[in-house]
């Protein structure tokens, strides 16, 4: 059962940009802290960006700071992840997740609602 839905992944070359979108059919996205996770083969799932319910606090992993931007579009019930200057190391399956509970925006704990993932592949 799909709880969240990601779109926008694809295969690009290093230096290109992609914009991922997260929607929540049957839910109100602004009711949840939204995080973007990524997982490459053989490594642990990593929280790369997150945004609070009101959008006043954000988190970025050091590996993506200055290149990725997470934002809310409440009119369209959507959270986006703009990814610029993509690198081969960004190659992974990207997942959108929602958290209803209270935690630090930097925390990867407590995300209960997940999408099925969208693949991002960056070639050198």
């Amino acid at each position: 059962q799909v709880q969240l839905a990601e779109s926008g992944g694809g295969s690009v070359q290093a230096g290109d940009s992609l914009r991922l979108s997260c929607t929540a059919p049957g839910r109100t996205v602004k009711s949840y802290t939204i995080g973007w996770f990524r997982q490459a083969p053989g490594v642990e799932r990593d929280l790369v960006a997150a945004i609070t319910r009101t959008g006043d606090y954000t988190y970025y992993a050091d590996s993506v700071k200055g290149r990725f931007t997470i934002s809310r579009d409440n009119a369209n019930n959507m959270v986006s992840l703009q990814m610029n200057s993509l690198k081969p190391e960004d190659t992974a399956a990207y997942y959108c997740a929602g958290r209803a509970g209270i935690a630090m925006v930097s925390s990867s704990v407590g995300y209960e609602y997940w999408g099925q993932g969208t693949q991002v592949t960056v070639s050198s």
Side-chain angles (χ1 to χ4, degrees):
Q1 184 175 136
V2 176
Q3 299 173 320
L4 300 172
E6 308 93 340
S7 64
S11 182
V12 299
Q13 294 183 318
D16 287 350
S17 297
L18 284 173
R19 187 176 182 87
L20 306 184
S21 296
C22 174
T23 59
R27 300 179 185 273
T28 302
V29 173
K30 69 178 181 179
S31 296
Y32 306 92
T33 294
I34 298 295
W36 283 97
F37 293 79
R38 69 185 182 189
Q39 186 168 27
V43 300
E44 288 191 343
R45 184 186 65 234
D46 183 36
L47 178 67
V48 297
I51 189 167
T52 57
R53 293 175 180 84
T54 59
D56 54 345
Y57 295 98
T58 58
Y59 164 79
Y60 298 97
D62 288 342
S63 59
V64 306
K65 283 182 179 178
R67 298 189 297 119
F68 289 13
T69 303
I70 188 170
S71 62
R72 288 186 176 273
D73 180 0
N74 290 335
N76 291 303
N77 197 32
M78 180 184 300
V79 172
S80 297
L81 183 68
Q82 178 67 40
M83 305 185 295
N84 296 329
S85 301
L86 283 163
K87 304 175 180 179
E89 65 193 69
D90 296 318
T91 296
Y94 284 72
Y95 298 86
C96 176
R99 179 177 67 206
I102 298 174
M104 296 288 290
V105 69
S106 60
S107 176
S108 63
V109 175
Y111 284 91
E112 298 180 325
Y113 307 97
W114 293 83
Q116 293 180 319
T118 186
Q119 180 67 35
V120 172
T121 301
V122 184
S123 301
S124 60

